[in-house]
Each structure stands twice: as C-alpha cells, then as structure tokens.
Amino acid sequence: MATVYLIPAILHEEGLPAIPAYIKDVIKECNVFFVENERTTRRYFKQLWKEMVIDDYEWVNMTETETAAGVFRKKLNEGKNIGIVSEAGCPGVADPGQALTAIAQEMDITVKPLAGPSSILLALMASGMNGQQFKFCGYLPIDNQQRIKTIKELETESAKKNCTQIFIETPYRNNQLIESLLKNCNSSTWLCIAVDLTGPKEWVKTKKISAWQKEKTDIHKRPAIFLLLAQ
C-alpha cells in the first residue's frame, strides 16, 4: 500500500539543525516527491543525505495543480510512496500541499505528518500571545486602503474574541507593513515580530504598538511573521 509522507523543510538556509534526524530515513522510503521548488528541495535533501542519487527518484511540481493532481492519483494507484515537500515549513499548512493531502484522504491512503519547523507555531510559541485561540490570515492586501481596512478588522476581531492574529508579508514589503501597523493600530495593541526563525540571526519580540513606535525597525528582505493581539 502506498503511503504519503508530509516532509518538513527548512525555514532558513542555515536551519538544518531544526530538522529531525529521522527525516533522512523517510526520504529513503519514498519513490516520488511532489515539491514546490525542485531545485531548492534537491539541495535541501543533499544537505541531509549527501549520498542521495537525485535521479533515482521522480520529481513533480505540485504547483501545477491540475497536472499534479492527476499524476498524484496515478502514483498512489501504482502503490508508490510519495513525499510532499513545501518550499519552507510544513506541507499542508499555508501551503499547496493541502490539496494533494486531501486527495490522499479521499482515496483512503495512509498519510504520515512529520514533525519539523513551522514559522506559524514557532512565532506563536515565542510571542507570549494567546495560544488557545489564534488565526492564521496569510498575506494582507497589497493595496494600501484595503490593507488598512483589513488591519482594523483584524484588530477589532482580536479584541472581541481575545484571538491572536497571525499573518505574513513578502520580505521586501516588510517595512511597509510595519509602517501600516504602527500608523493604524491602537497604541495598547500587542505586536509580535518574528524574524529569521531557526537562523543564526533569529529574533522574536513582542511589544505594544506604542513601544514599537519609539524605535526604528528595519527587516527589509528578511523572512518574518507578524502576530497581533488587541486589548
């Protein structure tokens, strides 16, 4: 019987120590890998297992949704063990791997989720914010007015439900997002910024908006995740 393995990926180019040692053994069990980016996944696997012969395995780009779904079903029917690998973090969490996992569940195939770094959970763990009730909101709108509207809505919902709001941004727009948050959130709202998680320059800081406003924060082009908790 086929098995689908959800294989965690590194969050940072120097984040290999955050990957459990047994992941190498799981890679050896697979016949086919469905990945977001073949080049970076191959490099990551070679870091874990230097002797790996890349061409001994089949590689499918899972972002080509319709094609990937058909190939995925075919490989499962052939009894192949499949590894699903995100570009960063855990497959199926804020990630296109979810669609393939849904197919495996529909086909009554065994799905094995494997432990590894998730920026969402790592940031929440370190934030000191409400870990009992939280919501991942993905990317906020690019349009400035829509972004402001969304920030205010998230803050209102957070205060009403005592819910931690978690969101991300394209790294080169991080500073613009911070500026929007500082201009449009209440001074008593808590903001956590987690930067370069699992990397050597990692930092996670939680402060009220009023405290963030007193300092210059420059995280341009650095991977980051943001958390908001309103009073």
Side-chain angles (χ1 to χ4, degrees):
M1 284 289 293
T3 299
V4 173
Y5 295 95
L6 304 181
I7 301 174
I10 53 177
L11 297 177
H12 189 279
E13 60 184 13
E14 297 181 58
L16 202 63
I19 301 296
Y22 73 84
I23 295 299
K24 182 172 77 171
D25 296 325
V26 172
I27 292 170
K28 294 178 181 180
E29 291 292 320
C30 295
N31 310 109
V32 188
F33 295 108
F34 282 72
V35 302
E36 275 193 272
N37 187 307
E38 185 175 333
R39 182 179 62 84
T40 55
T41 304
R42 286 179 177 220
R43 186 170 68 239
Y44 158 48
F45 282 1
K46 288 292 279 187
Q47 286 179 279
L48 281 175
W49 178 23
K50 290 182 173 55
E51 298 78 19
M52 182 181 188
V53 181
I54 294 294
D55 291 338
D56 284 351
Y57 301 85
E58 294 182 69
W59 300 83
V60 181
N61 184 336
M62 66 179 171
T63 62
E64 296 172 0
T65 313
E66 291 185 14
T67 303
V71 176
F72 188 73
R73 290 179 184 275
K74 180 174 182 292
K75 297 303 177 183
L76 289 178
N77 285 325
E78 292 173 357
K80 299 290 181 69
N81 288 337
I82 292 175
I84 298 178
V85 192
S86 301
E87 183 62 5
C90 300
V93 180
D95 171 81
Q98 172 268 326
L100 297 181
T101 304
I103 291 172
Q105 291 289 359
E106 176 191 314
M107 295 175 66
D108 200 25
I109 299 294
T110 298
V111 177
K112 290 188 174 291
L114 306 171
S118 162
S119 61
I120 297 169
L121 292 181
L122 291 175
L124 181 62
M125 289 164 62
S127 70
M129 294 182 175
N130 189 354
Q132 299 292 329
Q133 187 158 316
F134 55 91
K135 183 172 77 172
F136 179 66
C137 308
Y139 291 92
L140 302 193
I142 296 175
D143 178 77
N144 188 51
Q145 291 305 311
Q146 284 298 316
R147 168 174 287 185
I148 292 171
K149 180 175 180 288
T150 299
I151 287 172
K152 291 182 179 296
E153 289 173 348
L154 292 179
E155 187 178 40
T156 299
E157 181 182 47
S158 176
K160 183 178 180 180
K161 298 182 178 179
N162 188 29
C163 172
T164 302
Q165 307 281 22
I166 307 172
F167 44 94
I168 53 178
E169 181 53 281
T170 303
Y172 69 84
R173 286 201 295 263
N174 281 339
N175 290 347
Q176 290 95 314
L177 174 57
I178 292 172
E179 183 180 356
S180 292
L181 291 166
L182 299 189
K183 283 183 177 180
N184 296 287
C185 289
N186 293 323
S187 60
S188 60
T189 292
W190 291 96
L191 171 65
C192 175
I193 304 176
V195 180
D196 288 326
L197 289 169
T198 73
K201 295 183 179 180
E202 168 188 288
W203 59 262
V204 183
K205 297 179 182 179
T206 300
K207 303 177 185 181
K208 288 188 176 181
I209 290 292
S210 57
W212 283 111
Q213 288 170 338
K214 295 175 182 176
E215 60 182 76
K216 173 68 175 175
T217 305
D218 183 1
I219 54 170
H220 184 57
K221 292 188 176 179
R222 296 176 67 183
I225 188 161
F226 303 85
L227 302 88
L228 199 71
L229 184 63
Q231 303 291 302

